[in-house]
Each structure stands twice: as structure tokens, then as C-alpha cells.
Amino acid sequence: MRSLLRTASIIFPIILLPIKTHATVIELNTYLGGSEGKLANKPALIYKFSDGSQQNRCSIITTENYLVNAKNRLENINLSEPNFYFDCVWDGRYYFLSNRHRTYAEVIIKQPDMNFPMSMHIEAKLINIIGEHAEVISGDISLRRSKK
């Protein structure tokens, strides 16, 4: 039996293809503005960010209550937090949080002081419908809208 397997592996070599590990990297640096909305039928706040382009954008939506009680840190791992959601439309693809794949979103809110306005630092790992991953990163993004 061993010689048969050895012969088969010579005749039909096994080709190992690398697993796709490349992820789209989304670098946010621009606050586009905020609005009010609803999440799980509760009042919510929506914040929009981009890389400065018109077609690429990410959104944070969080209930007002969660935002107030989160102690400056919003977190959602595999859709475990119903009061905070994060998604992106990037290069024509929609990336989102999932409870079937390892995904997360974390937002650190930096409160304003005399020298700096309120800002957000964002990190996330999202997925799209065909299984492609996106890694979202940002520096501290001021929540002041830039003048055009």
C-alpha cells in the first residue's frame, strides 16, 4: 500500500496553493460629519469617516445610551454588542461585522481639552460577502469638520 501511495504522489503531485491572507487596508483620516438615526429602535448617533475621497467611507452608529456609558471605548466583537455597529463601503465593496467570522470594531473616544477637539481613534477587522477581509486603522481623527 505504501508503494502505491508513493507512486501515486509521483504521478499526481499535490499542489499546495497559498491561502489568501491579503486584506484590504482602510486608512481613515477625515471626519465627514454626523447625524442622528436609530439602532435597534433606539435613538442613535451616526459618524462618517473617509480617506478624503468621495467614494470610500466608513460609518459608526451607536445608541446614545451606549455612547454615554461606554467610558470612551466602543467595542463590538463578532456582533456581540447590539448598541454599536461599524461598516465600510470601500472601492465598491461593502465590509461589515459578522458573527460567523472573526471580526471586531473598536473606537477610542478622546475627550476635548483646551488644545485639542474631541477625536476618535478607530480600529476594525471587517469582512465582505465573498470572504475578503478589510483592516481599518486611523490616527486620532478630530470630530471637527474640515472646511472645503
Side-chain angles (χ1 to χ4, degrees), residues 117-135:
M118 179 182 260
S119 65
M120 289 186 175
H121 176 86
I122 303 165
E123 290 186 24
K125 182 176 180 182
L126 307 174
I127 195 162
N128 68 16
I129 195 77
I130 59 174
E132 297 171 332
H133 288 272
E135 294 178 11

Side-chain angles (χ1 to χ4, degrees), residues 35-52:
S35 61
E36 294 181 2
K38 294 240 182 220
L39 180 62
N41 285 329
K42 298 175 189 168
L45 299 171
I46 302 166
Y47 301 90
K48 295 187 184 279
F49 300 88
S50 81
D51 62 351

Side-chain angles (χ1 to χ4, degrees), residues 40-111:
N41 285 329
K42 298 175 189 168
L45 299 171
I46 302 166
Y47 301 90
K48 295 187 184 279
F49 300 88
S50 81
D51 62 351
S53 68
Q54 293 297 316
Q55 68 275 13
N56 295 334
R57 49 184 70 216
C58 296
S59 297
I60 294 169
I61 182 167
T62 181
T63 61
E64 292 177 14
N65 190 44
Y66 182 69
L67 182 64
V68 168
N69 293 308
K71 297 181 182 172
N72 297 325
R73 184 174 179 219
L74 311 176
E75 187 176 55
N76 193 338
I77 300 170
N78 295 340
L79 287 177
S80 61
E81 177 52 62
N83 297 300
F84 165 54
Y85 192 73
F86 183 81
D87 62 0
C88 297
V89 174
W90 212 262
D91 294 332
R93 294 183 177 103
Y94 177 62
Y95 295 95
F96 52 90
L97 292 166
S98 170
N99 61 358
R100 294 181 183 212
H101 301 274
R102 295 180 129 189
T103 59
Y104 76 92
E106 179 181 41
V107 177
I108 306 295
I109 301 165
K110 299 196 175 176
Q111 295 299 323

